[in-house]
Amino acid sequence: MRQNKSIRLGVNVDHIATLRQQRLGKFPDPVAFALKAQDAGAHSIVAHLREDRRHIQDDDIKRLKKALSIPLNLEMSIAADVVAIALKVVPQQVTLVPERRQELTTEGGLDVVKQFTKLQPLVEQFHKKGIDVSLFIDADEAQWQATKKLGASTIEFHTGGYADALSKRTQQQQLKAMQKSSTAASQAGLIVAAGHGLDVHNVDAIASIPEIEELNIGYSIVMQSLSVGFNAAVKDMLRAMKRTRRIARQSV
Ligand code: PXP
């Protein structure tokens, strides 16, 4: 029987840092906003240390780890210098994503099948440090099977294809693929998360997939916060998720 698990919200603070980097100053500070998200009920904080350091900086990661009492999920590529920082800071979780310098944001899932031999020693290194590993992938059986084989605990499905679909038909196809993969991957013992392009309007269909245990959301929360404030924007998202699912209790 499919189990309706409770669901958690990871708030991504990258775009607080995007704004700061426009003037290369100190404000707005992503750590201060991560703490606001924590107060508003977020279950974890997500930050992507990109190779080009366009938003989050090395020091932000160190400060986030120190300041937060909820888990830090460090999104990252497998670039050697970023891996070294992760191993030094020891966030509770890393989410490995593909990265292209020219892209505006992460455009697709990681090709775990193709990169299996490169990823294997890295996953081992993270596990040795007690860091949970998640892989950001498309809703594809070969990809989640490869993730399982790597020994990673978690997969995060890229919801961009669903969120940005130009027709209802494509959106439904994307949703179906995610429903199918979520059920199968969860039955295989993986923790299933999802994210990218989700907002209070499109989150219902994804949040109603019973096997999805976590949604990682950034851009729409930051955008919404311009009208209602950050605390209210996080709460609005939790409320939207709650329309279809029981929200997990705070992990602290
Ligand atoms: N999860 C992952 C792995 C991502 O790469 C991103 C974008 O940085 C997100 C979640 C959040 O996406 P958005 O900012 O569109 O909500």
Side-chain angles (χ1 to χ4, degrees), residues 49 61 65 74-77 79-94 96 126 129 131:
L49 186 64
I61 297 300
K65 175 70 197 310
L74 172 59
E75 238 184 71
M76 54 181 277
S77 72
D81 66 317
V82 181
V83 170
I85 290 166
L87 291 170
K88 200 163 170 203
V89 174
V90 192
Q92 282 78 2
Q93 184 175 311
V94 291
L96 304 181
F126 289 129
K129 284 269 188 181
I131 303 171

Side-chain angles (χ1 to χ4, degrees), residues 12 14-15 46 48 75 95 97 105-106 136 156 194-198 216-220:
N12 179 313
D14 291 351
H15 298 303
V46 186
H48 186 170
E75 238 184 71
T95 297
V97 304
T105 180
T106 317
F136 190 45
E156 179 175 343
H196 200 97
L198 298 177
N216 294 312
I217 304 177
Y219 186 74
S220 73

Side-chain angles (χ1 to χ4, degrees), residues 186-231:
S186 172
Q187 277 169 0
L190 286 161
I191 297 168
V192 184
H196 200 97
L198 298 177
D199 59 36
V200 289
H201 307 293
N202 67 15
V203 77
D204 286 39
I206 300 292
S208 63
I209 299 173
E211 294 85 4
I212 292 185
E213 297 183 50
E214 181 180 275
L215 296 179
N216 294 312
I217 304 177
Y219 186 74
S220 73
I221 291 176
V222 173
M223 204 165 57
Q224 178 74 355
S225 77
L226 296 176
S227 308
V228 302
F230 199 72
N231 188 292

